[in-house]
Amino acid sequence: MKDVIVIGGGAAGWSAALAATQAGLSVLLLEKLAESGGSSALSGGCLAFAGTDLQAAQGVDDSAGLLLRDLCEVGQHVNDEALVRAYCEAQLATYDWLKAAGVGFSPVIETASGQSVPRVHTVDPADMVRTLRAAAEASGRVEYRPGVAAQALVQDADGRVVGVRPGSGEDLFGARAVIIASGGFARNPDLLERYAPQYAEAVFVAGAGSQGDGLLMAEALGADLRDMAYVKGTFGKHPTDETNDHSLQAVYKGAIAVNQDGRRFVNESISYKLLGDAVMAQPWHTGYQIMDQGIFDTGDDRVRILDFGRRLEEGLFYVADSLEALAARIEIDPDVLVDTVTRYNGYVDAGHDPEFSRTHLVHHHGALRRIETAPFYAYPSTAVVFGTYCGLRIDNAARVLRSDGSAIAGLYAAGEVTGGFHGAAYMTGSALGKAVVFGRLAGMAAAAQ
Amino acid sequence: MNILVLIAGVLDPKWPVAPLGDGLPERAADRLILSPFDEAALEIALRIRDAHSDTAIRALVAGGAEAIRLARAVAALNIADVATVALAAPWDQAANARELAAVCDDADLVLMGREFGDCDDGLVPPMLAGLLGKPFFGRVQVVEATGAIRLMREAAICEEWLTVAQPVVASVTNDRRTRLRKPLMKNVMMARQARIEALTIGTLAQAPTGGADLAGVSAHAGARAMVDCAMIGGSPEDQASAIAALLVEAAR
């Protein structure tokens, strides 16, 4: 018997395993697929940390307090502040812990959804998961079993979770804890229909294992759920390109978003989750990010969501020497698009956007830019559901809670399977950040009990 | 200008090829995609239409019911007139050319991938031109559509340009300068409802007579059915001799 059983081999699962082994515990990690990595490995590799050495080196003044304020604002205060506070208090130590484990960070720090200052710390996400796994396995205290799916949780006579029931074979037991890190449910049509019917026409990109099985197993034991009404897609996915899963966030560099009628439909600086909601309400569930050469040149090829040059090479941008010609390419009335851009430029000059109250490039950061220098670019954009951002209610020690607030003894959860942290929307880097921070906290909590 | 684009389609290489009883792979609807040459031919047609709004594009996709899904993908490029055409002998260049000649109508420009239906032989386009009695221009790489329409191919040390001043059949090769654009989402969704006509041999007009005397190919009891898989070893000369012997044996 091991001390801890971890269900799921993504960033949260391997973080939990590493933290538990560092505390001297033995771990059995179950991964139902042949390879670990999960949705984490498919992600954009962004982590939201505040107060890091990388930020300091670039003169970025950030803090746990500012991160807390931003997370609560972008979550529209629907999120569990205690959980957000736990993240903010643990994130800087987790950043250092990741580096100590061998995770490499890009020196580039960018600003994206929901951030008042640049705090997107970028990693190769698949490599990060591999690094966490290697560090955990180097302890000699981890047994890794790929291809083993947990079907149910096993309780003792007192109701304490003491193990899991695999699809075949005997029950597996963990003396101290079972940590669910099995991901979300973006690959489960039944759960999506139940919780996110408004996204029926959206693009779904998630790990094949994101079936919601961990959520269902815990729910069967009376676990409470949080934020289920806030499943959202990310704005910026090219709707007809099937080779590139990542979104593009030119709006945060100054582009405007227009619909197929050529009209703006949203304040482009808000969270890309809310932009996702907005674009799904437009004709054909599609919009276009419109920018000029000046904005295009601010792209950054070291950050996937801002790598405009690569998308241009992939043929995903429409480009024209005039707004009228660009409108023709995307089958929008040229007069309408020209009028939209002209009025927007007027708002930039006046410092007041009476239509959508846009004041910054992203959240509270960056001055707006005019769209005026040819050539002009259009990037077709719809919403893509990368993750479900809701699920099991946990406390700040990652214990799974019932609706009355009591903890289910022996049961912990971390990563995408959990709810309460994001609230109504989402900050770039907070999903992968949540995975590593709460994965680490869960492993530490299992050791501390 | 009336442009006709002839689309061959190919099997998606991401799937393993599963031969049917006759040794040919199944052309399942969910495994048919545009070839790079099909894509380039379509993009050239679209660029001509971008520059000349009075251009009408018609597209014919080779195949029967299995080709309708691919035809909708073509319709999603805002091409209203798309049909499938069932070819009786997909691997017979001469038969293909004859059947296609019956559907070329009054097209001012016929564009088709250079490998239409015959692997890398590239014979169908010139055969079609011969049957139609139209000039042929092969391996087009680039179109210049502002003003007069000009097609370009690269020769060994120079570029060769053809101004489209009379009806012509052109085969198109792939080139990074003519990568096919992505369809707009609204057109993808409208294409789901588009009417796709299905042409069959019985509905085709009589193919033009005359022109080239087409030899074509005939069915052959292939080596696949007669020769077991074998490992060939030895020196390069030995291997060449062994392969030649197998081919001779297969041809008997």
Side-chain angles (χ1 to χ4, degrees):
Chain A
M1 177 189 294
K2 302 292 185 184
D3 294 315
V4 176
I5 295 177
V6 177
I7 303 172
W14 282 112
S15 292
L18 176 58
T21 59
Q22 287 174 334
L25 303 185
S26 60
V27 175
L28 171 62
L29 190 145
L30 307 177
E31 167 55 56
K32 67 182 176 185
L33 301 180
E35 296 288 340
S36 71
S39 290
S40 305
L42 301 176
S43 74
C46 299
L47 296 118
F49 294 133
T52 65
D53 53 354
L54 285 175
Q55 287 176 303
Q58 297 186 28
V60 176
D61 184 15
D62 199 5
S63 66
L66 185 56
L67 176 61
L68 175 70
R69 191 196 75 179
D70 283 352
L71 283 166
C72 290
E73 276 188 5
V74 76
Q76 299 181 354
H77 300 280
V78 172
N79 34 8
D80 178 350
E81 185 172 333
L83 212 54
V84 179
R85 193 174 296 280
Y87 175 92
C88 293
E89 290 172 353
Q91 52 88 26
L92 196 52
T94 303
Y95 166 75
D96 291 331
W97 177 77
L98 289 171
K99 288 205 303 181
V103 174
F105 287 85
S106 162
V108 179
I109 303 292
E110 278 287 355
T111 315
S113 172
Q115 301 180 349
S116 293
V117 296
R119 64 165 71 101
V120 173
H121 294 68
T122 307
V123 298
D124 179 320
D127 192 50
M128 182 182 78
V129 177
R130 282 192 292 268
T131 301
L132 289 168
R133 174 183 165 184
E137 291 186 323
S139 71
R141 288 190 285 273
V142 172
E143 181 185 351
Y144 171 48
R145 291 195 197 174
V148 177
Q151 301 291 320
L153 299 169
V154 178
Q155 293 175 285
D156 65 12
D158 297 326
R160 178 184 180 82
V161 175
V162 294
V164 303
R165 182 156 299 147
S168 60
E170 298 181 349
D171 290 350
L172 303 166
F173 293 97
R176 287 174 178 258
V178 172
I179 300 173
I180 299 175
S182 54
F185 54 87
R187 291 294 194 100
N188 185 320
D190 292 339
L191 290 177
L192 288 171
E193 186 178 352
R194 184 190 309 172
Y195 293 115
Q198 73 275 24
Y199 276 94
E201 293 289 340
V203 179
F204 287 83
V205 175
S210 296
Q211 301 284 348
D213 36 9
L215 183 142
L216 295 171
M217 282 188 280
E219 193 179 19
L221 301 190
D224 194 13
L225 306 179
R226 283 289 304 252
D227 298 345
M228 304 307 287
Y230 300 105
V231 175
K232 295 184 187 306
T234 296
F235 177 70
K237 171 74 175 72
H238 193 298
T240 58
D241 167 44
E242 297 177 351
T243 60
N244 194 328
D245 289 337
H246 297 287
S247 64
L248 189 81
Q249 304 300 338
V251 285
Y252 295 152
K253 289 291 188 178
I256 60 172
V258 304
N259 61 19
Q260 191 63 55
D261 297 328
R263 304 183 194 285
R264 289 175 69 210
F265 54 90
V266 70
N267 173 352
E268 295 89 346
S269 71
I270 62 176
S271 164
Y272 50 42
K273 295 295 175 187
L274 300 177
L275 293 177
D277 276 353
V279 78
M280 291 305 292
Q282 301 309 305
W284 315 107
H285 314 299
T286 299
Y288 299 91
Q289 299 183 67
I290 305 291
M291 75 198 86
D292 68 353
Q293 186 63 48
I295 295 170
F296 187 92
D297 289 341
T298 65
D300 190 331
D301 63 6
R302 295 167 293 185
V303 180
R304 286 180 180 177
I305 59 176
L306 300 173
D307 190 353
F308 306 157
R310 178 168 173 172
R311 306 301 170 85
L312 181 65
E313 289 175 5
E314 292 170 344
L316 302 181
F317 272 104
Y318 292 90
V319 188
D321 289 331
S322 69
L323 284 169
E324 291 87 345
L326 185 68
R329 294 292 308 277
I330 55 179
E331 300 180 24
I332 287 176
D333 184 334
D335 292 339
V336 174
L337 184 63
V338 169
D339 180 61
T340 296
V341 172
T342 301
R343 276 189 289 121
Y344 177 78
N345 285 341
Y347 301 157
V348 174
D349 294 342
H352 175 58
D353 172 7
E355 289 186 271
F356 298 103
S357 302
R358 185 180 194 184
T359 56
H360 293 86
L361 295 180
V362 51
H363 204 54
H364 301 309
H365 176 79
L368 301 182
R369 302 179 61 114
R370 289 172 57 89
I371 298 171
E372 58 187 355
T373 306
F376 297 94
Y377 298 82
Y379 192 82
S381 300
T382 187
V384 54
V385 180
F386 290 124
T388 37
Y389 310 101
C390 59
L392 301 176
R393 181 183 170 197
I394 59 171
D395 65 10
N396 55 13
R399 297 184 303 170
V400 177
L401 305 179
R402 300 184 184 89
S403 57
D404 64 1
S406 63
I408 299 175
L411 186 60
Y412 297 77
E416 195 189 343
V417 73
T418 65
F421 174 67
H422 299 296
Y426 168 83
M427 174 191 291
T428 301
S430 62
L432 202 54
K434 177 178 79 167
V436 294
V437 167
F438 284 99
R440 174 170 169 261
L441 291 178
M444 294 166 63
Q449 67 171 324
Chain B
M1 167 175 277
N2 293 320
I3 299 177
L4 174 64
V5 186
L6 301 173
I7 308 292
V10 293
L11 289 171
D12 188 340
K14 78 181 179 187
W15 297 96
V17 173
L20 296 175
D22 62 0
L24 294 176
E26 179 185 9
R27 279 170 55 94
D30 62 348
R31 299 187 182 188
L32 277 182
I33 59 172
L34 296 170
S35 79
F37 314 113
D38 294 332
E39 291 188 350
L42 279 167
E43 180 60 28
I44 285 175
L46 293 170
R47 290 193 190 182
I48 293 171
R49 188 179 66 180
D50 289 343
H52 301 274
S53 58
D54 59 344
T55 298
I57 300 175
R58 185 175 192 225
L60 293 177
V61 181
E66 85 283 0
I68 289 178
R69 185 170 178 269
L70 188 61
R72 293 198 188 283
V74 175
L77 295 162
N78 198 12
I79 297 175
D81 189 353
V82 181
T84 60
V85 54
L87 301 175
W91 297 98
D92 184 334
Q93 298 104 324
N96 282 346
R98 286 195 186 91
E99 289 168 18
L100 293 173
V103 297
C104 285
D105 301 330
D106 57 347
D108 301 306
L109 175 61
V110 177
L111 294 167
M112 58 199 303
R114 70 172 168 84
E115 290 187 349
F116 191 106
D118 65 0
C119 295
D120 207 17
D121 288 353
L123 291 177
V124 175
M127 284 182 169
L128 175 62
L131 284 169
L132 295 173
K134 294 179 179 179
F136 171 70
F137 192 63
R139 293 185 298 100
V140 173
Q141 293 169 264
V142 170
V143 64
E144 188 178 272
T146 52
I149 296 165
R150 302 172 71 218
L151 305 174
M152 188 278 281
R153 67 185 179 198
E154 292 173 345
I157 57 170
C158 63
E159 294 178 349
E160 297 175 344
W161 289 86
L162 172 75
T163 300
V164 181
Q166 61 176 312
V168 62
V169 175
S171 72
V172 180
T173 192
N174 57 329
D175 188 291
R176 65 186 303 273
R177 291 165 288 187
T178 50
R179 185 163 48 188
L180 181 61
R181 66 195 63 185
K182 300 293 180 187
L184 300 182
M185 193 62 194
K186 78 178 182 72
N187 294 331
V188 170
M189 298 181 82
M190 292 173 72
R192 295 176 186 172
Q193 307 296 324
R195 179 178 177 276
I196 306 294
E197 186 181 5
L199 304 178
T200 61
I201 298 301
T203 64
L204 300 181
Q206 185 68 36
T209 56
D213 183 14
L214 304 180
V217 297
S218 57
H220 170 62
R224 180 189 296 275
M226 301 168 58
V227 181
D228 291 333
C229 182
M231 184 66 73
I232 296 173
S235 67
E237 291 77 12
D238 293 340
Q239 294 177 41
S241 297
I243 292 171
L246 285 171
L247 293 173
V248 169
E249 177 65 23
R252 285 176 181 164

